[in-house]
Amino acid sequence: MHAAVVVFPGSNCDRDLAVAFEAAGAQVTKVWHKDTDLPEGVDIIGIPGGFSFGDYLRCGAIAANSPICRSVAAHAERGGYVIGICNGFQVLTETGLLPGALLRNAGLKYICKTVALKVETSASAFTEGYTAGDTISIPIAHHDGNYFADDETIARLQGEDRVAFTYEDTPNGAKADIAGILSSNRRVLGMMPHPERAADAGHGGTDGQALFRALTGALAAV
Amino acid sequence: MKARVHVMLKNGVLDPQGEAVRHALGAMGFEGINGVRQGKVIELDLAEGTTEADVSAMCEKLLANTVIESYSVEIS
């Protein structure tokens, strides 16, 4: 299984994401934002957390218009897998690969802590290592993690079983407690919490491992 | 030529920064402030001949996220 991790100026979770993929058995290539092509045979693209382009204008807005994002969109349109974490989630909403937008946290504060997430669906390559209804502990670290979409979009996400994770105690004001969502073909996941920061015993928790293991296992089986 | 783009969060989208400013103004003793919305202004210095439609395209593609924000353009 071959994963590509995109690096923007300001990405700071790219190495952690690459290590989590490698620990789950993937071969990883890092890709610079100015590159226009992805490596041959990439199965999944990871858009890491951080502060791409300093969060100038809006989080993820400038990154979403970088050359590599045209290839990311083409990969997704072909049915390829993409995961965006934290700033990566913001980038995926800005590219239009996922609906909605991420607003400033309702409490106006940057929040960095481990939170309880409810797994809403196991019906995706990302979440099939969990059971729907499971509670897992995953760290968050964001200032703009307040998920917003209009009521119609929220209802569609819920009706199509596309809410991947919700917060048990919403820290940021996110609508419908949403922490992560799937694309309509269930092959693009965006989430604010950081599973790559809970993928090794040294992190103080390993609840994120199942996501990467399921992904590599599921993709190896494709 | 110059263009000035005003970007605001749409009505109905919670503006926590605006709310914080409203609370602060109230705490300072200013009365009768029913709401505060905080947006941003982007000034563009453009080549002659750039049209309002060009600036609108810039807004749609980058300067505003139309899921949550509205924008208006002033050309001078």
Side-chain angles (χ1 to χ4, degrees), chain A residues 134-159:
Chain A
D134 276 357
T135 297
I136 60 174
S137 294
I138 303 284
I140 58 168
H142 59 241
H143 199 169
D144 296 76
N146 178 352
Y147 183 76
F148 176 87
D150 58 34
D151 293 341
E152 193 185 321
T153 303
I154 299 281
R156 192 169 71 244
L157 289 170
Q158 291 170 331

Side-chain angles (χ1 to χ4, degrees), chain A residues 56-76:
Chain A
Y56 291 171
L57 187 64
R58 286 183 312 278
C59 302
I62 297 175
N65 289 284
S66 63
I68 195 65
C69 276
R70 284 192 279 279
S71 298
V72 173
H75 173 82

Side-chain angles (χ1 to χ4, degrees), chain B residues 3-57:
Chain B
R4 184 174 283 190
V5 175
H6 295 256
V7 180
M8 294 293 294
L9 281 173
K10 286 179 176 172
N11 288 332
V13 177
L14 176 69
D15 177 0
Q17 293 176 98
E19 276 300 288
V21 173
R22 185 176 70 84
H23 278 289
L25 288 171
M28 290 162 73
F30 292 103
E31 290 173 11
I33 299 152
N34 297 322
V36 175
R37 306 288 286 171
Q38 180 179 317
K40 58 190 154 196
V41 177
I42 300 167
E43 289 184 340
L44 305 170
D45 188 350
L46 299 165
E48 288 307 318
T50 309
T51 65
E52 189 164 343
D54 293 330
V55 180
S56 291

